[in-house]
Amino acid sequence: MSSAYQTDALIAEDIDAYLAAHQHKDMLRFITCGSVDDGKSTLIGRLLYDSKMIFEDQLAALESDSRKQGTQGQEIDFALLVDGLAAEREQGITIDVAYRFFNTEKRKFIVADCPGHEQYTRNMVTGASTADLAVILIDARKGVLAQTRRHSYLCHLLGIRQLVLAVNKMDLVGYDQTVFDGIVADYAQFAQSIGIERYTALPISGFKGDNITALSAKTPWFKGPTLIEHLETVEVDTETAQAEPFRLPVQWVNRPNLDFRGFSGLIASGSVQPGDAVRVLPSGKTSTIQRIVTLDGDLDAAVAGQSVTLTLADEVDCSRGDVLAAADAPPQVADQFEATLVWMDDAPLHVGRGYWLKLGTQTVSATVQQPKYVVNVNTLEHLAAKTLELNAIGVAELATDRPLVFEPYATSRTLGGFILVDKLTNRTVAAGMLKFSLRRAQNVHWQALDVSREAHAALKGQSPAVLWFTGLSGSGKSTIANLVEKKLHALGHHTFLLDGDNVRHGLNKDLGFTEADRIENIRRVGEVTKLMTDAGLIVLTAFISPFAAERDMVRSMLPGGEFIEVFVDTPLAVAEQRDVKGLYKKARSGKLQNFTGIDSPYEAPLSPDIRVDTTTESPEAAAERIVDYILGGRIDSWMPVI
Amino acid sequence: MTASLTHLQRLEAEAIHILREVVAEAERPVMLYSVGKDSAVMLHLARKAFYPAPPPFPLLHVDTTWKFRAMYELRDRMAQESGMDLLVYQNPEAATRGINPFDHGALHTDLWKTEGLKQALDKYGFDAAFGGARRDEEKSRAKERIFSFRTASHGWDPKNQRPELWNLYNARKHKGESIRVFPISNWTELDVWQYIQLNDIPIVPLYFAAKRPTVERDGMLLMVDDARFPLGPGEVPVERSIRFRTLGCYPLTGAVESTASNLSEVIQETLLTTTSERQGRAIDKDAGGAGMEVKKQQGYF
C-alpha cells in the first residue's frame, strides 16, 4: 500500500493527530470518461479499493459477484463494485452518472463516473459541470478514438481546465513505450486543434495497479507523476474563483423579524468583508456590507465557495434572483444572448417556444432562435440545423422576458451556466453556456411613456382583458367570439376581435403551418394582443392555438388575471362532420399537411377559465355566459394567475 | 486574500445552498428526522442555513413505536432547541394490526416505515422532503440525484432522473408529485463524524459504548431496551459493553462490542473497522444484490 493513502498505523496510534490532518484536507472533484470497455469502472474500483473505501463484507460480496457475473475470470472485477443499478449490472455497462468518494493524505476526492456511450452525452456533461479535472481514459490497444475526441471536446466546452490523458490497459500492450508515445502524439495534435492548452499524459493499468499510487517497475521509461500524485497537487477551481470580483446570487431573504434583513447565498466568486461597497443588480443600487452573520458568530471575511448571510447598511430593494456584486466591478445585465446549448431531452428544441431558464438563482422565460449551427462532436464540423435533438450541441441566440444578471461562461460557471426547463413536462431539457450578450439588447431601451396603460383603461372606463378562444378548426370559435364582441360593443365596451384567418392574410402572411411557424404565429398575435390591452381594449382572439406552451406564453406576457382561456370544446368527429370550410376533407385526402386533429396534435386546455361544449350549448347561450363572466366577475378582483 | 476551504467547509456550503434552494422553490417542505447521526448533521445544517430565523419547515418523524428510548428523548429535546414543529406519524393500520419486528419481519419495515412515510407525506401535503441519505452508503444511492423525483404514488424511476448541472436544481413538478432532497449526498461517514465533533452536535448516547443488557440472536447482538423484548426459554440478557454504528428499531439493530466511549474513539473504531455501515441493519439484505434499489422503487426512502 502506498503512503498516499491513510495509514492505519496513525489512526491506531494517534487518532486525534490523524483527524487534525484530515480536517484540513481540501477537496477535488473530477470525472472519468472514456469509451465502453476502456476500464473506467475498474479504475475507480481500484482507487476505492486502494484507499480502503470498501469494507470486508463488500469485498466478500464483490468476490462472489465476480465469480458469478464478472468479466475478469477468477480475479476481482472492480467494475462490479461501481456499477450500481440492477439494470446495468445485467447489461454490463454504466448508464448513468455515479458519484464516489475517497481520501488520500492530502485530499478528499469526489469522482463522477461518466458513461462512454454516444447517446449519453447528457450524463457526461452533467458530470463535467461540477468537475475541476477530467481523466480521459484511452485503451492502449485502440488509441485515440472518436469518443476520446468527443469527451475531450465536451470537457473543454464545460470549462474544465485540468485534463489527464490516462492511457489504460498498458499491461495488454506489454508496457510498450512506443505505443504510449504514439497515442500521446496523436492526442497532442487533436488537443491543439480545439484549443486545449494543457494536459498530463500517464501510462497506467487500472486492473494491475500500475502508476496509480506508485511508479511501476514495468514502465521504467516513465518518470511520473503517478495518477494519485497528480490528483493531489493540481489547483482546485474555488481557489481560482477567489481572485475574481465579488458576486453573490441572492437565494433567500432572511426576515425573522422587523429588525433583521439578511441576504443569503453561496459566494460565486471573490471575497467579502464588512464595509465593502456592493451593488445590487439588476437595479444598480449601492450599499455597504454591514455584517456576515452565521450561527457560530459574525465573520470578518468570507470567500468564494462559502454559504453566508449578509446584511447591508441601507434599506435597498433586494430579493431572490438579484446579485450582490463588488460596486466597482459589477457583472453585465442583458436580455439577448448568444449561447451554446447541449440538448438533453427526447423532445427536440421548439424554436420560438418559451422555456424556463434558470441561471444562478434567477428564473426567467426564454425563447431560443433557430440554431446558427450544431457541432458534430466526432469531427467538430459546424453543420446547419433547424432544431436541436437529444445530445446535440449547438450555438443559438436566445431572448429572455426579463433582464438577466450574467457573465460569460468562460468567466463564471455560476453566472454563465444555465438550464432550460420545459414549461409543461417540467423536464430539464438543456444545459447552456452564455457566450456574450447581443448588441441590440444593450442599445434598445424601453421608452418611458407618460400615458400609462392604466390611464388608457381609465379613459375607456373598463379593465382590459383577453378572451382567448381555442379549439379545433370548425369548433365554433369565430362564431362565438363574434357574438361576444357584438354584445360587449352594444354594452358600450371598447373591444377588438383578432381572427386567425384574417391575421394570416396580413401580419402573418409569411408563415406556414409547420410547428415552428405555428409557434411564431401565436407569438406575434400575443404581442399584438398585449399592445391592445396596453391601449385599454378588451381583446377577443379566435385561433386554433393547438399547443398549451404557446397559450401559456401569451398568458405570461399579460398581467395576472387578464388572460381568460375559453376552450371551445367540440369533438373532432363533430367538427369534421360540420367541415364548414371543407378543410377536413382536404386533410383526410392528403391535400393539406399539418392539419390540427388529423396529422398535427391539439393539446386541449387542462383547466380553461371557461369551457364551452358546443354539442350541448348553443353559440348564443355560450356568448351570453361569457359576457356575464367578464362583466359579472370584476376583472380587477380576479386572483392573479401564477 | 486567498483561503483554501477545507472539504468540510465546501460540503457544508453545498448542503446549506441545497436547503435554501428548496425553501425558496418548494411550497411545503419538511425535514425527515430519524434521530440518527445523519439526521443530527442535517438538522444542524438547517439551523445554520436560516440563522437567525429557525428553519422554516417542520421536522417529521415517521415513528414505528420500536425505536430506542434514548432516541425519543433526543428527538423531543432537539425539536425544542431548534424551535421547529415536530410532527410524529405512526401508521394507524400497523398499530391496529399490532405489527412488530419480532413477529412480522419485513412486513414491519414495509408498513411502519415505507407505508407510514407515504401516508404522512400525503396527509400533510408535503411536496419536498429532506432526507439524510448519503451516496457512499450503498451502490444504488451513488447514482441518485440530490433532488430525486417521486411520482404521485411515491415511485422512483432510476432510468428517468433529471440531469443535475452545476449547482442548478430544477424543483418544478406537477401537482401530487414530490421531491426527496438529500443535502448531505456527498458526505462520507467519516465526514459526518468529524463534522459532529467539530460542531459539538448532540447525538444519541447509544453511539458511545456503555454496559447494556443484550442477547445474541442469528449472529446479531440485540439490546433489550424495554419490557416488550420477548425472551426465549432460558434466555437471559447479558451485560456487555456495546455501541451502535447505526440506529433504527431496536429489535432490528445489531450492536457491536466496543469500548469507544468518546467521539475520537468512535471515529478511530469506524476507520479501523472492517464491516460496512449498513451491515448492522437487516433491511438491505432482503432482496439480494439489488435490495435497496427495489425498496426505493417501491417508495422507501
Side-chain angles (χ1 to χ4, degrees), chain B residues 57-84:
Chain B
F57 43 79
L59 295 170
L60 172 64
H61 183 223
V62 179
D63 188 20
T64 65
T65 71
W66 289 94
K67 302 293 174 189
F68 291 92
R69 283 174 299 162
M71 293 172 73
Y72 294 115
E73 284 162 26
L74 185 75
R75 178 192 74 185
D76 296 344
R77 186 184 126 201
M78 290 314 294
Q80 197 171 25
E81 267 185 30
S82 64
M84 297 163 76

PDB file of all heavy atoms in Angstrom, chain B residues 57-84:
ATOM      1  N   PHE B  57     -39.482  25.135   8.262  1.00  0.00           N
ATOM      2  CA  PHE B  57     -40.245  23.920   7.940  1.00  0.00           C
ATOM      3  C   PHE B  57     -40.251  23.033   9.183  1.00  0.00           C
ATOM      4  O   PHE B  57     -39.426  23.210  10.069  1.00  0.00           O
ATOM      5  CB  PHE B  57     -39.615  23.172   6.749  1.00  0.00           C
ATOM      6  CG  PHE B  57     -38.115  23.081   6.783  1.00  0.00           C
ATOM      7  CD1 PHE B  57     -37.473  22.146   7.584  1.00  0.00           C
ATOM      8  CD2 PHE B  57     -37.334  23.955   6.036  1.00  0.00           C
ATOM      9  CE1 PHE B  57     -36.094  22.071   7.631  1.00  0.00           C
ATOM     10  CE2 PHE B  57     -35.938  23.891   6.084  1.00  0.00           C
ATOM     11  CZ  PHE B  57     -35.323  22.947   6.875  1.00  0.00           C
ATOM     12  N   PRO B  58     -41.216  22.094   9.247  1.00  0.00           N
ATOM     13  CA  PRO B  58     -41.279  21.224  10.424  1.00  0.00           C
ATOM     14  C   PRO B  58     -40.364  20.002  10.298  1.00  0.00           C
ATOM     15  O   PRO B  58     -39.867  19.694   9.208  1.00  0.00           O
ATOM     16  CB  PRO B  58     -42.747  20.779  10.449  1.00  0.00           C
ATOM     17  CG  PRO B  58     -43.192  20.858   9.029  1.00  0.00           C
ATOM     18  CD  PRO B  58     -42.378  21.930   8.368  1.00  0.00           C
ATOM     19  N   LEU B  59     -40.162  19.331  11.416  1.00  0.00           N
ATOM     20  CA  LEU B  59     -39.495  18.030  11.425  1.00  0.00           C
ATOM     21  C   LEU B  59     -40.574  16.959  11.392  1.00  0.00           C
ATOM     22  O   LEU B  59     -41.602  17.094  12.048  1.00  0.00           O
ATOM     23  CB  LEU B  59     -38.674  17.859  12.702  1.00  0.00           C
ATOM     24  CG  LEU B  59     -37.484  18.799  12.897  1.00  0.00           C
ATOM     25  CD1 LEU B  59     -36.940  18.669  14.326  1.00  0.00           C
ATOM     26  CD2 LEU B  59     -36.391  18.478  11.889  1.00  0.00           C
ATOM     27  N   LEU B  60     -40.342  15.908  10.625  1.00  0.00           N
ATOM     28  CA  LEU B  60     -41.297  14.796  10.584  1.00  0.00           C
ATOM     29  C   LEU B  60     -40.587  13.518  11.008  1.00  0.00           C
ATOM     30  O   LEU B  60     -39.582  13.127  10.404  1.00  0.00           O
ATOM     31  CB  LEU B  60     -41.853  14.626   9.160  1.00  0.00           C
ATOM     32  CG  LEU B  60     -42.721  13.376   8.918  1.00  0.00           C
ATOM     33  CD1 LEU B  60     -43.996  13.411   9.761  1.00  0.00           C
ATOM     34  CD2 LEU B  60     -43.073  13.244   7.435  1.00  0.00           C
ATOM     35  N   HIS B  61     -41.096  12.904  12.061  1.00  0.00           N
ATOM     36  CA  HIS B  61     -40.551  11.615  12.470  1.00  0.00           C
ATOM     37  C   HIS B  61     -41.568  10.536  12.136  1.00  0.00           C
ATOM     38  O   HIS B  61     -42.671  10.532  12.682  1.00  0.00           O
ATOM     39  CB  HIS B  61     -40.240  11.605  13.977  1.00  0.00           C
ATOM     40  CG  HIS B  61     -39.618  10.317  14.433  1.00  0.00           C
ATOM     41  ND1 HIS B  61     -39.966   9.672  15.591  1.00  0.00           N
ATOM     42  CD2 HIS B  61     -38.653   9.553  13.854  1.00  0.00           C
ATOM     43  CE1 HIS B  61     -39.246   8.556  15.721  1.00  0.00           C
ATOM     44  NE2 HIS B  61     -38.453   8.463  14.670  1.00  0.00           N
ATOM     45  N   VAL B  62     -41.212   9.653  11.194  1.00  0.00           N
ATOM     46  CA  VAL B  62     -42.087   8.529  10.876  1.00  0.00           C
ATOM     47  C   VAL B  62     -41.750   7.443  11.884  1.00  0.00           C
ATOM     48  O   VAL B  62     -40.728   6.764  11.775  1.00  0.00           O
ATOM     49  CB  VAL B  62     -41.870   8.050   9.430  1.00  0.00           C
ATOM     50  CG1 VAL B  62     -42.770   6.861   9.127  1.00  0.00           C
ATOM     51  CG2 VAL B  62     -42.159   9.181   8.458  1.00  0.00           C
ATOM     52  N   ASP B  63     -42.594   7.333  12.866  1.00  0.00           N
ATOM     53  CA  ASP B  63     -42.283   6.501  14.028  1.00  0.00           C
ATOM     54  C   ASP B  63     -42.829   5.085  13.841  1.00  0.00           C
ATOM     55  O   ASP B  63     -43.898   4.892  13.277  1.00  0.00           O
ATOM     56  CB  ASP B  63     -42.911   7.144  15.271  1.00  0.00           C
ATOM     57  CG  ASP B  63     -42.467   6.439  16.543  1.00  0.00           C
ATOM     58  OD1 ASP B  63     -41.417   5.732  16.497  1.00  0.00           O
ATOM     59  OD2 ASP B  63     -43.158   6.562  17.567  1.00  0.00           O
ATOM     60  N   THR B  64     -42.055   4.124  14.329  1.00  0.00           N
ATOM     61  CA  THR B  64     -42.500   2.723  14.266  1.00  0.00           C
ATOM     62  C   THR B  64     -42.923   2.229  15.641  1.00  0.00           C
ATOM     63  O   THR B  64     -43.331   1.070  15.772  1.00  0.00           O
ATOM     64  CB  THR B  64     -41.343   1.828  13.793  1.00  0.00           C
ATOM     65  OG1 THR B  64     -40.322   1.867  14.800  1.00  0.00           O
ATOM     66  CG2 THR B  64     -40.769   2.303  12.478  1.00  0.00           C
ATOM     67  N   THR B  65     -42.798   3.066  16.642  1.00  0.00           N
ATOM     68  CA  THR B  65     -43.024   2.758  18.061  1.00  0.00           C
ATOM     69  C   THR B  65     -41.967   1.816  18.638  1.00  0.00           C
ATOM     70  O   THR B  65     -42.021   1.444  19.793  1.00  0.00           O
ATOM     71  CB  THR B  65     -44.422   2.143  18.355  1.00  0.00           C
ATOM     72  OG1 THR B  65     -44.467   0.809  17.832  1.00  0.00           O
ATOM     73  CG2 THR B  65     -45.539   2.968  17.726  1.00  0.00           C
ATOM     74  N   TRP B  66     -41.003   1.426  17.811  1.00  0.00           N
ATOM     75  CA  TRP B  66     -39.989   0.457  18.253  1.00  0.00           C
ATOM     76  C   TRP B  66     -38.580   1.035  18.249  1.00  0.00           C
ATOM     77  O   TRP B  66     -37.612   0.296  18.223  1.00  0.00           O
ATOM     78  CB  TRP B  66     -40.033  -0.794  17.368  1.00  0.00           C
ATOM     79  CG  TRP B  66     -41.264  -1.608  17.612  1.00  0.00           C
ATOM     80  CD1 TRP B  66     -42.431  -1.531  16.927  1.00  0.00           C
ATOM     81  CD2 TRP B  66     -41.460  -2.610  18.631  1.00  0.00           C
ATOM     82  NE1 TRP B  66     -43.350  -2.419  17.446  1.00  0.00           N
ATOM     83  CE2 TRP B  66     -42.774  -3.094  18.481  1.00  0.00           C
ATOM     84  CE3 TRP B  66     -40.644  -3.125  19.646  1.00  0.00           C
ATOM     85  CZ2 TRP B  66     -43.306  -4.086  19.317  1.00  0.00           C
ATOM     86  CZ3 TRP B  66     -41.175  -4.116  20.469  1.00  0.00           C
ATOM     87  CH2 TRP B  66     -42.494  -4.581  20.306  1.00  0.00           C
ATOM     88  N   LYS B  67     -38.479   2.381  18.264  1.00  0.00           N
ATOM     89  CA  LYS B  67     -37.150   2.981  18.336  1.00  0.00           C
ATOM     90  C   LYS B  67     -36.613   2.845  19.769  1.00  0.00           C
ATOM     91  O   LYS B  67     -37.365   2.610  20.711  1.00  0.00           O
ATOM     92  CB  LYS B  67     -37.223   4.460  17.939  1.00  0.00           C
ATOM     93  CG  LYS B  67     -37.788   4.701  16.539  1.00  0.00           C
ATOM     94  CD  LYS B  67     -36.881   4.180  15.460  1.00  0.00           C
ATOM     95  CE  LYS B  67     -37.508   4.303  14.084  1.00  0.00           C
ATOM     96  NZ  LYS B  67     -36.731   3.609  13.058  1.00  0.00           N
ATOM     97  N   PHE B  68     -35.317   3.054  19.892  1.00  0.00           N
ATOM     98  CA  PHE B  68     -34.721   3.050  21.226  1.00  0.00           C
ATOM     99  C   PHE B  68     -35.287   4.211  22.053  1.00  0.00           C
ATOM    100  O   PHE B  68     -35.536   5.290  21.521  1.00  0.00           O
ATOM    101  CB  PHE B  68     -33.204   3.227  21.123  1.00  0.00           C
ATOM    102  CG  PHE B  68     -32.476   2.063  20.515  1.00  0.00           C
ATOM    103  CD1 PHE B  68     -32.225   2.027  19.151  1.00  0.00           C
ATOM    104  CD2 PHE B  68     -32.008   1.022  21.310  1.00  0.00           C
ATOM    105  CE1 PHE B  68     -31.531   0.960  18.584  1.00  0.00           C
ATOM    106  CE2 PHE B  68     -31.311  -0.037  20.743  1.00  0.00           C
ATOM    107  CZ  PHE B  68     -31.073  -0.074  19.387  1.00  0.00           C
ATOM    108  N   ARG B  69     -35.452   3.988  23.354  1.00  0.00           N
ATOM    109  CA  ARG B  69     -35.973   5.052  24.214  1.00  0.00           C
ATOM    110  C   ARG B  69     -35.104   6.308  24.144  1.00  0.00           C
ATOM    111  O   ARG B  69     -35.597   7.425  24.131  1.00  0.00           O
ATOM    112  CB  ARG B  69     -36.057   4.567  25.668  1.00  0.00           C
ATOM    113  CG  ARG B  69     -37.256   3.659  25.933  1.00  0.00           C
ATOM    114  CD  ARG B  69     -37.197   3.120  27.332  1.00  0.00           C
ATOM    115  NE  ARG B  69     -35.982   2.312  27.529  1.00  0.00           N
ATOM    116  CZ  ARG B  69     -35.473   1.991  28.702  1.00  0.00           C
ATOM    117  NH1 ARG B  69     -36.037   2.420  29.805  1.00  0.00           N
ATOM    118  NH2 ARG B  69     -34.384   1.249  28.783  1.00  0.00           N
ATOM    119  N   ALA B  70     -33.793   6.094  24.093  1.00  0.00           N
ATOM    120  CA  ALA B  70     -32.872   7.242  24.055  1.00  0.00           C
ATOM    121  C   ALA B  70     -33.097   8.093  22.808  1.00  0.00           C
ATOM    122  O   ALA B  70     -32.806   9.292  22.797  1.00  0.00           O
ATOM    123  CB  ALA B  70     -31.426   6.758  24.108  1.00  0.00           C
ATOM    124  N   MET B  71     -33.607   7.466  21.736  1.00  0.00           N
ATOM    125  CA  MET B  71     -33.862   8.227  20.512  1.00  0.00           C
ATOM    126  C   MET B  71     -35.050   9.163  20.708  1.00  0.00           C
ATOM    127  O   MET B  71     -35.030  10.320  20.260  1.00  0.00           O
ATOM    128  CB  MET B  71     -34.131   7.279  19.339  1.00  0.00           C
ATOM    129  CG  MET B  71     -32.899   6.470  18.941  1.00  0.00           C
ATOM    130  SD  MET B  71     -33.269   5.187  17.713  1.00  0.00           S
ATOM    131  CE  MET B  71     -33.507   6.158  16.230  1.00  0.00           C
ATOM    132  N   TYR B  72     -36.121   8.653  21.362  1.00  0.00           N
ATOM    133  CA  TYR B  72     -37.283   9.519  21.601  1.00  0.00           C
ATOM    134  C   TYR B  72     -36.908  10.718  22.468  1.00  0.00           C
ATOM    135  O   TYR B  72     -37.378  11.828  22.250  1.00  0.00           O
ATOM    136  CB  TYR B  72     -38.417   8.715  22.257  1.00  0.00           C
ATOM    137  CG  TYR B  72     -38.992   7.650  21.343  1.00  0.00           C
ATOM    138  CD1 TYR B  72     -38.877   6.298  21.647  1.00  0.00           C
ATOM    139  CD2 TYR B  72     -39.645   8.009  20.172  1.00  0.00           C
ATOM    140  CE1 TYR B  72     -39.397   5.324  20.804  1.00  0.00           C
ATOM    141  CE2 TYR B  72     -40.171   7.038  19.322  1.00  0.00           C
ATOM    142  CZ  TYR B  72     -40.046   5.688  19.646  1.00  0.00           C
ATOM    143  OH  TYR B  72     -40.559   4.744  18.798  1.00  0.00           O
ATOM    144  N   GLU B  73     -36.027  10.467  23.446  1.00  0.00           N
ATOM    145  CA  GLU B  73     -35.611  11.570  24.330  1.00  0.00           C
ATOM    146  C   GLU B  73     -34.884  12.663  23.553  1.00  0.00           C
ATOM    147  O   GLU B  73     -35.190  13.839  23.668  1.00  0.00           O
ATOM    148  CB  GLU B  73     -34.704  11.043  25.450  1.00  0.00           C
ATOM    149  CG  GLU B  73     -35.471  10.319  26.548  1.00  0.00           C
ATOM    150  CD  GLU B  73     -34.549   9.424  27.396  1.00  0.00           C
ATOM    151  OE1 GLU B  73     -33.338   9.722  27.480  1.00  0.00           O
ATOM    152  OE2 GLU B  73     -35.062   8.428  27.954  1.00  0.00           O
ATOM    153  N   LEU B  74     -33.930  12.240  22.714  1.00  0.00           N
ATOM    154  CA  LEU B  74     -33.160  13.247  21.970  1.00  0.00           C
ATOM    155  C   LEU B  74     -34.056  13.961  20.954  1.00  0.00           C
ATOM    156  O   LEU B  74     -33.938  15.172  20.745  1.00  0.00           O
ATOM    157  CB  LEU B  74     -31.961  12.617  21.259  1.00  0.00           C
ATOM    158  CG  LEU B  74     -31.081  13.663  20.572  1.00  0.00           C
ATOM    159  CD1 LEU B  74     -30.246  14.442  21.595  1.00  0.00           C
ATOM    160  CD2 LEU B  74     -30.158  13.060  19.525  1.00  0.00           C
ATOM    161  N   ARG B  75     -34.946  13.205  20.332  1.00  0.00           N
ATOM    162  CA  ARG B  75     -35.854  13.791  19.334  1.00  0.00           C
ATOM    163  C   ARG B  75     -36.608  14.975  19.930  1.00  0.00           C
ATOM    164  O   ARG B  75     -36.624  16.076  19.369  1.00  0.00           O
ATOM    165  CB  ARG B  75     -36.852  12.721  18.883  1.00  0.00           C
ATOM    166  CG  ARG B  75     -37.876  13.209  17.890  1.00  0.00           C
ATOM    167  CD  ARG B  75     -38.989  12.200  17.701  1.00  0.00           C
ATOM    168  NE  ARG B  75     -39.893  12.191  18.860  1.00  0.00           N
ATOM    169  CZ  ARG B  75     -40.903  11.342  19.009  1.00  0.00           C
ATOM    170  NH1 ARG B  75     -41.104  10.395  18.099  1.00  0.00           N
ATOM    171  NH2 ARG B  75     -41.676  11.405  20.068  1.00  0.00           N
ATOM    172  N   ASP B  76     -37.232  14.752  21.104  1.00  0.00           N
ATOM    173  CA  ASP B  76     -38.050  15.802  21.708  1.00  0.00           C
ATOM    174  C   ASP B  76     -37.195  16.990  22.129  1.00  0.00           C
ATOM    175  O   ASP B  76     -37.592  18.141  21.980  1.00  0.00           O
ATOM    176  CB  ASP B  76     -38.839  15.231  22.887  1.00  0.00           C
ATOM    177  CG  ASP B  76     -39.842  14.165  22.433  1.00  0.00           C
ATOM    178  OD1 ASP B  76     -40.122  14.105  21.204  1.00  0.00           O
ATOM    179  OD2 ASP B  76     -40.316  13.388  23.272  1.00  0.00           O
ATOM    180  N   ARG B  77     -35.990  16.692  22.610  1.00  0.00           N
ATOM    181  CA  ARG B  77     -35.097  17.766  23.054  1.00  0.00           C
ATOM    182  C   ARG B  77     -34.659  18.630  21.861  1.00  0.00           C
ATOM    183  O   ARG B  77     -34.661  19.856  21.924  1.00  0.00           O
ATOM    184  CB  ARG B  77     -33.878  17.133  23.732  1.00  0.00           C
ATOM    185  CG  ARG B  77     -32.956  18.153  24.360  1.00  0.00           C
ATOM    186  CD  ARG B  77     -31.704  17.485  24.930  1.00  0.00           C
ATOM    187  NE  ARG B  77     -30.503  18.110  24.388  1.00  0.00           N
ATOM    188  CZ  ARG B  77     -29.315  17.534  24.354  1.00  0.00           C
ATOM    189  NH1 ARG B  77     -29.157  16.299  24.806  1.00  0.00           N
ATOM    190  NH2 ARG B  77     -28.290  18.181  23.864  1.00  0.00           N
ATOM    191  N   MET B  78     -34.301  17.985  20.746  1.00  0.00           N
ATOM    192  CA  MET B  78     -33.784  18.741  19.604  1.00  0.00           C
ATOM    193  C   MET B  78     -34.875  19.585  18.954  1.00  0.00           C
ATOM    194  O   MET B  78     -34.616  20.680  18.463  1.00  0.00           O
ATOM    195  CB  MET B  78     -33.161  17.808  18.565  1.00  0.00           C
ATOM    196  CG  MET B  78     -31.867  17.152  19.004  1.00  0.00           C
ATOM    197  SD  MET B  78     -30.691  18.293  19.785  1.00  0.00           S
ATOM    198  CE  MET B  78     -30.280  19.354  18.398  1.00  0.00           C
ATOM    199  N   ALA B  79     -36.113  19.064  18.938  1.00  0.00           N
ATOM    200  CA  ALA B  79     -37.214  19.839  18.365  1.00  0.00           C
ATOM    201  C   ALA B  79     -37.384  21.129  19.158  1.00  0.00           C
ATOM    202  O   ALA B  79     -37.564  22.207  18.597  1.00  0.00           O
ATOM    203  CB  ALA B  79     -38.497  19.022  18.388  1.00  0.00           C
ATOM    204  N   GLN B  80     -37.291  20.985  20.481  1.00  0.00           N
ATOM    205  CA  GLN B  80     -37.455  22.164  21.332  1.00  0.00           C
ATOM    206  C   GLN B  80     -36.308  23.160  21.127  1.00  0.00           C
ATOM    207  O   GLN B  80     -36.526  24.351  20.965  1.00  0.00           O
ATOM    208  CB  GLN B  80     -37.520  21.708  22.786  1.00  0.00           C
ATOM    209  CG  GLN B  80     -38.086  22.774  23.690  1.00  0.00           C
ATOM    210  CD  GLN B  80     -38.335  22.218  25.085  1.00  0.00           C
ATOM    211  OE1 GLN B  80     -37.705  21.242  25.504  1.00  0.00           O
ATOM    212  NE2 GLN B  80     -39.244  22.834  25.797  1.00  0.00           N
ATOM    213  N   GLU B  81     -35.070  22.631  21.101  1.00  0.00           N
ATOM    214  CA  GLU B  81     -33.906  23.517  20.957  1.00  0.00           C
ATOM    215  C   GLU B  81     -33.907  24.261  19.632  1.00  0.00           C
ATOM    216  O   GLU B  81     -33.473  25.399  19.537  1.00  0.00           O
ATOM    217  CB  GLU B  81     -32.609  22.700  21.051  1.00  0.00           C
ATOM    218  CG  GLU B  81     -32.053  22.632  22.443  1.00  0.00           C
ATOM    219  CD  GLU B  81     -30.710  21.929  22.499  1.00  0.00           C
ATOM    220  OE1 GLU B  81     -29.960  22.004  21.506  1.00  0.00           O
ATOM    221  OE2 GLU B  81     -30.420  21.297  23.521  1.00  0.00           O
ATOM    222  N   SER B  82     -34.356  23.593  18.573  1.00  0.00           N
ATOM    223  CA  SER B  82     -34.287  24.215  17.255  1.00  0.00           C
ATOM    224  C   SER B  82     -35.454  25.164  17.006  1.00  0.00           C
ATOM    225  O   SER B  82     -35.434  25.932  16.050  1.00  0.00           O
ATOM    226  CB  SER B  82     -34.282  23.139  16.178  1.00  0.00           C
ATOM    227  OG  SER B  82     -35.506  22.425  16.201  1.00  0.00           O
ATOM    228  N   GLY B  83     -36.467  25.116  17.876  1.00  0.00           N
ATOM    229  CA  GLY B  83     -37.635  25.969  17.675  1.00  0.00           C
ATOM    230  C   GLY B  83     -38.499  25.524  16.514  1.00  0.00           C
ATOM    231  O   GLY B  83     -39.269  26.306  15.956  1.00  0.00           O
ATOM    232  N   MET B  84     -38.382  24.253  16.118  1.00  0.00           N
ATOM    233  CA  MET B  84     -39.156  23.762  14.974  1.00  0.00           C
ATOM    234  C   MET B  84     -40.331  22.920  15.470  1.00  0.00           C
ATOM    235  O   MET B  84     -40.282  22.325  16.534  1.00  0.00           O
ATOM    236  CB  MET B  84     -38.261  22.907  14.064  1.00  0.00           C
ATOM    237  CG  MET B  84     -37.108  23.693  13.457  1.00  0.00           C
ATOM    238  SD  MET B  84     -35.815  22.619  12.796  1.00  0.00           S
ATOM    239  CE  MET B  84     -36.581  22.062  11.271  1.00  0.00           C
TER     240      MET B  84
END
